[in-house]
């Protein structure tokens, strides 16, 4: 929690020479890599940074943020803020009037958002920029037309992950980042996080989060241990299992 234990690669069954060759290949091919960190058996065995980056610099983790958002939903369910993933999302937006609110749209569940199978016509990158340019990001996503029945087809949808953040804030009465700090980051010793907020004051959900590499590795180690950190279950093990397997072919 206070920092990674350090070991030589050999003590953890790895070869320093191979790792040196990896570094040489990165430099030789000018691969655009900020840093390379390897944790093996709970020990930090490799920790390299490429100019101009350093070990105390936060990095934009892009859509890895979505996995953190999924973990927060699991924690919120475990703590009783949300009943379960089968709740229709309309339960969480009683103050929002939905355009084209037919039976299909009313049947979208929290699980459908987590699976990226909401059935909404999200529109990829264009849809993301349209959302960012709208007056109310949540309203924009909720008003999208339906493309198919929820749960049937995977469609990458940043707006769906943004709705998850709105749901966390609406149910916990906390900013999503504040909830994350209390129940996920601080128990792991992650103290320096940035997260973009929408004009409505909601943490982005879909991306635009910044973490340090040592802290990002903690998220990976947490999941390798089925959501346990030291002797505490941070993320329910069932949430880890279900969120790391395939759901739609």
């Amino acid at each position: 929690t206070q920092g990674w234990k350090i070991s030589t690669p050999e003590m953890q069954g790895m070869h320093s020479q191979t790792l040196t060759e990896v570094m040489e290949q990165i430099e030789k091919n000018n691969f655009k890599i900020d840093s390379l960190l390897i944790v093996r058996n709970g020990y930090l065995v490799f920790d390299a940074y490429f100019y101009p980056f350093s070990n105390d610099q936060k990095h934009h983790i892009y859509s890895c943020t979505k996995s953190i958002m999924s973990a927060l939903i699991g924690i919120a369910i475990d703590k009783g803020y949300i009943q379960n993933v089968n709740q229709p999302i309309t339960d969480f937006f009683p103050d929002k009037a939905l355009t084209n609110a037919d039976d299909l749209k009313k049947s979208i569940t929290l699980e459908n958002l987590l699976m990226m199978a909401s059935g909404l016509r999200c529109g990829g990158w264009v849809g993301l920029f349209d959302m960012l340019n709208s007056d109310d990001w949540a309203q924009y996503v909720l008003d999208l037309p339906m493309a198919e029945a929820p749960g049937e087809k995977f469609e990458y949808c940043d707006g769906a992950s943004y709705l998850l953040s709105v749901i966390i804030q609406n149910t916990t009465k906390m900013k999503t980042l504040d909830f994350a700090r209390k129940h996920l980051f601080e128990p792991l010793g992650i103290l320096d996080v940035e997260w973009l907020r929408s004009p409505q004051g909601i943490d982005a959900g879909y991306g635009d989060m910044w973490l340090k590499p040592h802290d990002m590795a903690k998220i990976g180690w947490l999941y390798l241990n089925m959501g346990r950190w030291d002797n505490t279950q941070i993320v329910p093990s069932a949430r880890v299992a279900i969120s790391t397997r395939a759901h739609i072919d």
Side-chain angles (χ1 to χ4, degrees), residues 112 115 117-119 148-154 247-248:
N112 297 145
M115 289 170 57
S118 65
E148 56 265 327
E152 291 187 355
K153 182 181 178 182
F154 175 91
H247 294 270
I248 294 178

Side-chain angles (χ1 to χ4, degrees):
T1 302
Q2 302 306 317
W4 287 101
K5 296 179 291 185
I6 297 174
S7 170
T8 63
E10 279 70 19
M11 289 180 67
Q12 304 306 322
M14 302 183 77
H15 299 287
S16 296
Q17 180 59 38
T18 302
L19 296 175
T20 301
E21 291 169 4
V22 169
M23 292 290 289
E24 292 172 350
Q25 286 297 314
I26 289 172
E27 294 183 333
K28 177 182 177 180
N29 293 281
N30 196 29
F31 292 138
K32 301 301 181 184
I33 294 176
D34 299 352
S35 64
L36 178 59
L37 182 155
I38 300 174
V39 173
R40 173 76 168 166
N41 300 327
Y43 290 87
L44 183 64
V45 300
F46 198 77
D47 194 20
Y49 299 83
F50 299 86
Y51 181 84
F53 299 99
S54 61
N55 64 350
D56 61 350
Q57 186 172 351
K58 293 190 294 295
H59 296 245
H60 189 189
I61 67 168
Y62 295 94
S63 286
C64 292
T65 307
K66 294 179 173 70
S67 293
I68 292 174
M69 194 67 251
S70 173
L72 296 178
I73 291 292
I75 293 169
I77 293 173
D78 185 57
K79 295 189 177 300
Y81 292 107
I82 297 171
Q83 292 178 21
N84 55 62
V85 295
N86 298 316
Q87 280 188 264
I89 64 170
T90 51
D91 286 0
F92 304 106
F93 300 97
D95 59 330
K96 299 283 188 186
L98 278 60
T99 301
N100 303 318
D102 57 13
D103 289 342
L104 274 186
K105 183 172 286 191
K106 291 178 181 178
S107 70
I108 300 172
T109 65
L110 188 58
E111 183 177 47
N112 297 145
L113 296 184
L114 289 162
M115 289 170 57
M116 290 278 181
S118 65
L120 294 168
R121 194 181 302 280
C122 288
W125 280 107
V126 174
L128 171 61
F129 291 126
D130 286 345
M131 181 186 79
L132 298 181
N133 291 321
S134 68
D135 294 331
D136 184 329
W137 294 6
Q139 190 69 61
Y140 170 83
V141 179
L142 292 168
D143 286 345
L144 288 170
M146 298 297 293
E148 56 265 327
E152 291 187 355
K153 182 181 178 182
F154 175 91
E155 182 182 353
Y156 200 81
C157 185
D158 290 292
S161 295
Y162 176 69
L163 290 184
L164 295 175
S165 183
V166 181
I167 289 169
I168 288 287
Q169 181 162 313
N170 286 352
T171 55
T172 67
K173 309 304 179 187
M174 299 173 66
K175 296 291 186 184
T176 308
L177 181 53
D178 292 339
F179 181 82
R181 283 193 175 113
K182 181 177 180 179
H183 298 293
L184 177 63
F185 293 138
E186 290 179 2
L188 271 57
I190 298 174
L191 305 178
D192 190 2
V193 184
E194 291 182 35
W195 205 354
L196 175 76
R197 281 182 177 161
S198 71
Q200 294 76 44
I202 311 290
D203 295 295
Y206 62 86
D208 287 308
M209 177 181 281
W210 283 261
L211 284 175
K212 294 178 181 179
H214 280 213
D215 291 338
M216 187 65 174
K218 289 182 176 182
I219 302 295
W221 187 249
L222 177 72
Y223 267 68
L224 280 175
N225 288 279
M226 296 302 293
R228 287 188 69 80
W229 188 262
D230 290 337
N231 295 314
T232 303
Q233 193 73 41
I234 303 295
V235 181
S237 59
R239 166 54 40 193
V240 173
I242 200 169
S243 64
T244 53
R245 66 172 176 82
H247 294 270
I248 294 178
D249 186 4

